[in-house]
């Protein structure tokens, strides 16, 4: 073992052996003892919790646990191109379902999670794609029936049982929903046989001419899609203004509710470029893009998703591809969902949209809480700051730029504290993968130390920490998208099973629901610390120290009632450091809650911090008052 590797092993051992304070402070080492299962909150407690009180666990049901092998093929017959089922291929159904997730709720709760974000459960088109490029709707984003659970995942009764079981444990359930598009059913005559269909703009292909400005007059009296009245859209009769859309005979009634089969309710302008006008009007990789400007689509989607609230009493929505829907839609949809939830006795219904962005640019995210009026968005800027600094070499001043941007959100910090934060996911890839890509010569001990440092940031800084299933088991993907959607149950996918996991000698060829991986133990410890420490859930933040190179980041968080201070200190460099960090002048001592390095109060307003390489410390400051 190299000298560098030895440094990281020592640092990791110090972090694992540090004392941890929970509801009843105990001296224990996560490296020596598995945390006891979290005591379920009483069913009456969970509704009162604010969004920022949660620790979210995100799971794709197909990749979690197979509770009922009889539904693996979704009731379909034939090969994988018909059923979508092939447990050996990363792009097809593997057999996980809602019964399996329900059976594993004890595992999820033992990790310290208080809420489950369930990937889309709606009935999907089983298989899509041109010959040779086919894959299945295992992920849930190719919906045909918005009212039913996909048969591969179970039944509506299975979903009801999942929600009931979670609520019985005091856990919340968030649904992943899609409004921007449906499955790829609509085809274009001009693009038959082609893999892509270029976007055609409103200027080049106006609504009142067929196939271009020189075409035959159609849709007389239509005043444009910015006049969002039922009377105006009733005049949009023809849908062949940009392309000639059609639906194959076998799929003409495949969508539910039935109104979704009417091609007038789609943009039909070809593939999005993800920029400019096409961002909200183009087909997302060929998926049928709904005309969300149309009042019929607005009322239809309100009915669809309001019904899921009414039927199951779910606790929130994560909205897929939210940035690709016009803002006016959200201005109508969000209040309607909040009203339905309130009528169901759900006062803190959490709605957060996906606004994918891969730079530390809070303004890009914040505009969607102001212009779109979304209550919250997934915090991609947080993810990027952690990637840049812990899986990269950017200075810790990246977090200054991140948190200064909190003022830009609607309602400022009050909104920022509700943003779900994450370090990796099913689309972008796992954090361990980012580390290995950035530091290809790093040994597994250093990679593990960096992942643990990212976990410490995720579970202590502002926002709502979101854990992607498998991260706690040391999963390290080959890349993003399909490569980062490994099975938690024993996998048969060769490109998953050859991955080198962290904290274990096993592979994804065996089931991973154990509680002895150091990443599981660390996550469980920090998650429980967070949920019993109001400063870490609802507390305001104050930046105490940052550097323009890898090194110290120090942030104080304050109890919203007592104003008691908790200092968070992180070392993103590969050398140990000792610093004086500013604190409140009333503090006289520091108690280590997690990690290692909380020193003594050297003078009023100054605490000595000593952190190992890639180490962290959570310090509760005490004062005589």
């Amino acid at each position: 073992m190299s000298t560098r590797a030895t440094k990281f092993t020592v640092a990791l051992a110090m972090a694992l052996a540090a004392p941890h304070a929970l509801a009843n402070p105990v001296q224990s080492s996560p490296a020596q003892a598995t945390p006891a299962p979290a005591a379920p909150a009483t069913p009456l407690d969970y509704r009162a919790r604010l969004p920022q009180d949660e620790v979210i666990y995100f799971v794709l049901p197909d990749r979690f646990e197979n509770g009922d092998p009889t539904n693996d093929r979704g009731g379909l017959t034939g090969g994988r191109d018909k059923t979508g089922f092939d447990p050996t291929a990363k792009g097809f159904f593997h057999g996980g379902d809602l019964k399996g997730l329900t059976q594993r709720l004890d595992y999820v709760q033992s990790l310290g999670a208080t809420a489950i974000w369930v990937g889309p459960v709606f009935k999907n088109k089983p298989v899509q794609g041109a010959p040779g490029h086919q894959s299945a709707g295992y992920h849930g984003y190719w919906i045909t029936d918005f009212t039913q659970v996909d048969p591969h995942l179970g039944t509506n009764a299975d979903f009801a049982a999942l929600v009931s079981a979670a609520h019985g444990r005091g856990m919340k359930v968030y649904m992943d929903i899609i409004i921007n598009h449906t499955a790829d059913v609509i085809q274009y005559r001009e693009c038959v046989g082609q893999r892509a269909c270029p976007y055609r703009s409103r200027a080049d292909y106006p609504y009142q001419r067929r196939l271009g400005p020189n075409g035959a007059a159609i849709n007389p009296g239509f005043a444009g899609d910015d006049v969002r009245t039922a009377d105006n859209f009733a005049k949009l009769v023809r849908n062949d203004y940009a392309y000639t859309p059609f639906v194959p005979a076998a799929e003409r009634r495949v969508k539910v509710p039935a109104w979704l089969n009417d091609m007038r309710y789609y943009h039909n302008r070809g593939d999005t470029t993800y920029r400019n006008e096409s961002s909200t009007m183009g087909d997302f990789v060929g998926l049928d893009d709904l005309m969300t400007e149309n009042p019929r689509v607005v009322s239809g989607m309100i009915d669809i998703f309001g019904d899921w609230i009414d039927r199951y009493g779910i606790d929130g929505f994560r909205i897929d591809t939210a940035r690709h829907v016009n803002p006016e839609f959200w201005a109508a949809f969000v209040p309607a969902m909040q009203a339905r939830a309130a009528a169901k006795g759900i006062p803190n219904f959490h709605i957060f949209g996906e606004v994918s962005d891969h730079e530390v640019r809070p303004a890009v995210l914040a505009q969607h809480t102001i212009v779109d009026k979304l209550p919250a968005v997934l915090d991609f800027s947080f993810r990027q700051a952690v990637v840049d600094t812990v899986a990269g070499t950017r200075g810790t001043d990246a977090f200054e730029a991140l948190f200064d941007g909190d003022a830009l959100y609607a309602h400022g910090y009050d909104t920022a504290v509700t943003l779900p934060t994450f370090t990796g996911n099913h689309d972008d890839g796992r954090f361990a993968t980012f580390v290995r890509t950035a530091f290809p010569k790093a040994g597994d001990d250093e990679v593990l130390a960096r992942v643990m440092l990212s976990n410490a940031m995720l579970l202590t800084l502002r926002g709502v920490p979101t854990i992607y299933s498998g991260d706690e088991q040391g999963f390290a993907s080959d890349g993003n998208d399909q490569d980062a959607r490994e099975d938690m149950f024993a996998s048969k996918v060769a490109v998953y099973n050859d991955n080198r996991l962290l904290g274990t000698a096993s592979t994804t060829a065996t089931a991973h629901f154990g509680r002895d991986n150091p990443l599981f133990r660390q996550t469980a410890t920090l998650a429980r610390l967070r949920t019993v420490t109001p400063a870490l859930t609802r507390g305001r933040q104050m930046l105490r120290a940052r550097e323009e190179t890898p090194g110290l980041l120090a942030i104080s968080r304050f109890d919203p009632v007592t104003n008691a201070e908790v200092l968070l200190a992180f070392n993103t460099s590969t050398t140990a450091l000792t610093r004086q960090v500013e604190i409140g002048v009333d503090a006289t001592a520091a108690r280590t809650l997690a990690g290692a390095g909380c020193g003594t109060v050297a003078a009023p307003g100054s605490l000595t911090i000593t952190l190992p390489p890639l180490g962290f410390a959570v310090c509760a400051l005490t004062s005589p008052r």
Side-chain angles (χ1 to χ4, degrees):
M1 184 178 292
S2 68
T3 301
R4 189 181 190 198
T6 302
K7 284 165 51 181
F8 288 112
T9 301
V10 171
L12 183 57
M14 289 175 65
L16 287 175
H20 298 262
L22 302 179
N24 296 308
V26 293
Q27 299 290 320
S28 66
S29 168
Q32 298 170 357
T34 300
T42 63
L44 295 177
D45 287 342
Y46 72 95
R47 293 290 196 206
R49 296 197 306 257
L50 298 178
Q52 56 265 44
D53 295 336
E54 312 301 338
V55 174
I56 302 172
Y57 188 75
F58 169 51
V59 56
L60 289 175
D62 178 66
R63 301 301 166 92
F64 194 66
E65 178 64 298
N66 191 345
D68 183 3
T70 66
N71 62 27
D72 287 355
R73 291 172 173 78
L76 304 171
T77 58
R80 75 174 194 175
D81 291 347
K82 298 293 185 181
T83 69
F85 178 68
D86 183 352
T88 69
K90 64 183 180 180
F92 285 79
F93 283 99
H94 291 174
D97 50 37
L98 296 176
K99 285 183 178 177
L101 177 54
T102 303
Q103 292 166 7
R104 292 290 186 180
L105 286 179
D106 182 69
Y107 168 83
V108 176
Q109 193 164 41
S110 73
L111 185 63
T114 64
I116 306 171
W117 157 13
V118 184
V121 300
F122 314 99
K123 186 176 180 180
N124 268 229
K125 187 172 183 177
V127 179
Q128 285 188 178
H133 300 278
Q134 291 175 312
S135 62
Y138 68 91
H139 41 66
Y141 296 108
W142 300 342
I143 303 173
T144 54
D145 187 340
F146 285 80
T147 69
Q148 300 292 326
V149 166
D150 191 287
H152 293 85
L153 305 181
T155 64
N156 286 17
D158 293 335
F159 184 73
L162 168 66
V163 176
S164 178
H167 285 172
R169 291 172 168 270
M171 302 176 74
K172 295 182 180 180
V173 177
Y174 300 149
M175 291 188 76
D176 198 323
I177 68 171
I178 304 94
I179 287 167
N180 177 64
H181 56 263
T182 70
D184 184 9
V185 172
I186 299 173
Q187 309 297 313
Y188 303 127
R189 298 285 181 196
E190 294 80 0
C191 299
V192 172
Q194 302 178 26
R195 289 192 61 193
C197 210
Y199 183 77
R200 291 181 170 179
S201 71
R202 289 176 295 185
D204 292 330
Y205 295 86
Y207 289 111
Q208 292 202 19
R209 291 291 184 272
R210 183 178 183 274
L211 301 178
N214 298 321
I218 57 175
N219 301 319
F222 181 63
D225 54 31
D226 58 346
V227 180
R228 298 179 181 89
T229 65
D231 286 345
N232 183 47
F233 274 89
K235 299 170 184 175
L236 186 63
V237 177
R238 296 279 295 269
N239 50 40
D240 53 351
Y241 37 81
Y243 283 103
T244 309
F246 72 98
V247 174
E251 295 183 307
R252 285 177 184 167
R253 295 178 179 84
V254 73
K255 295 180 184 179
V256 180
W259 64 266
L260 287 164
N261 295 301
D262 191 329
M263 288 187 291
R264 290 178 301 170
Y265 299 136
Y266 299 85
H267 285 120
N268 301 313
R269 289 188 172 276
D271 295 334
T272 182
T273 65
Y274 308 101
R275 295 185 299 275
N276 305 318
E277 174 188 307
S278 81
S279 179
T280 59
M281 293 191 171
D283 295 342
F284 198 88
V285 289
L287 298 166
D288 301 349
D289 196 72
L290 278 157
M291 185 175 279
T292 47
E293 301 89 347
N294 191 317
R296 179 65 183 92
V297 176
V298 176
S299 63
M301 285 297 171
I302 287 174
D303 288 343
I304 286 170
F305 292 111
D307 189 54
W308 285 90
I309 297 173
D310 293 345
R311 282 189 286 168
Y312 303 107
I314 54 172
D315 304 285
F317 289 144
R318 179 267 190 180
I319 303 174
D320 180 70
T321 52
R323 74 185 305 171
H324 301 295
V325 174
N326 60 300
E328 296 82 3
F329 176 91
W330 300 126
F333 180 83
V334 168
M337 294 303 99
Q338 291 170 330
R340 292 286 271 270
K344 188 72 174 178
I346 308 169
N348 297 308
F349 195 80
H350 196 193
I351 298 176
F352 50 100
E354 179 202 26
V355 180
S356 181
D357 188 62
H358 297 93
E359 295 185 43
V360 183
R361 298 189 298 184
V364 171
L365 306 181
Q367 67 176 323
H368 293 277
T369 69
I370 297 173
V371 178
D372 297 16
K373 297 180 173 59
L374 289 169
V377 293
L378 282 166
D379 197 346
F380 276 82
S381 285
F382 178 94
R383 172 258 189 193
Q384 196 61 44
V386 181
V387 168
D388 287 350
T389 57
V390 183
T393 58
R394 183 173 174 178
T396 58
D397 56 347
F399 288 92
E400 182 175 30
L402 170 69
F403 294 131
D404 280 353
D406 286 353
L408 301 175
Y409 291 93
H411 312 297
Y413 185 77
D414 288 345
T415 293
V417 78
T418 70
L419 307 181
T421 51
F422 65 101
T423 58
N425 65 19
H426 62 313
D427 289 329
D428 290 356
R430 298 188 183 274
F431 191 79
T433 308
F434 304 143
V435 174
R436 282 182 171 156
T437 300
F439 302 100
K441 296 182 179 179
D444 283 354
D445 49 358
E446 178 177 347
V447 176
L448 181 60
R450 289 184 182 276
V451 173
M452 295 184 87
L453 179 57
S454 76
N455 287 345
M457 292 176 167
L458 177 67
L459 287 157
T460 59
L461 291 169
R462 72 100 180 99
V464 189
T466 304
I467 302 158
Y468 177 36
S469 63
D471 282 354
E472 77 280 9
Q473 295 292 343
F475 284 15
S477 60
D478 291 326
N480 62 358
D481 197 71
Q482 293 181 7
D483 284 328
R485 298 172 182 176
E486 305 96 322
D487 304 306
M488 290 286 285
F489 57 100
S491 183
K492 298 180 181 179
V493 180
V495 294
Y496 294 162
N497 295 341
D498 66 2
N499 292 348
R500 192 170 79 254
L501 309 188
L502 293 174
T504 177
S506 65
T507 71
T508 55
T510 60
H512 278 81
F513 295 104
R515 306 175 189 183
D516 58 348
N517 190 296
L519 290 170
F520 183 100
R521 295 196 301 268
Q522 184 211 24
T523 300
T525 298
L526 289 176
R528 291 176 199 150
L529 173 62
R530 181 185 185 91
T531 55
V532 299
T533 309
L536 300 182
T537 54
R538 303 185 182 188
R540 63 185 176 92
Q541 282 193 169
M542 178 181 293
L543 180 66
R544 295 295 196 182
R546 87 286 183 271
E547 298 179 354
E548 295 178 359
T549 57
L552 178 65
L553 171 68
I555 290 176
S556 288
R557 301 200 66 185
F558 299 89
D559 187 295
V561 176
T562 68
N563 208 40
E565 183 175 357
V566 176
L567 181 73
L568 311 173
F570 310 95
N571 180 9
T572 65
S573 74
T574 55
T575 58
L577 62 80
T578 297
R579 297 280 195 281
Q580 298 303 125
V581 175
E582 182 182 7
I583 56 173
V585 295
D586 291 338
T588 57
R591 179 167 58 95
T592 301
L593 301 180
C598 304
T600 60
V601 177
S606 180
L607 177 69
T608 304
I609 289 289
T610 300
L611 297 176
L614 302 175
F616 70 93
V618 180
C619 313
L621 304 181
T622 58
S623 62
R625 293 187 294 175

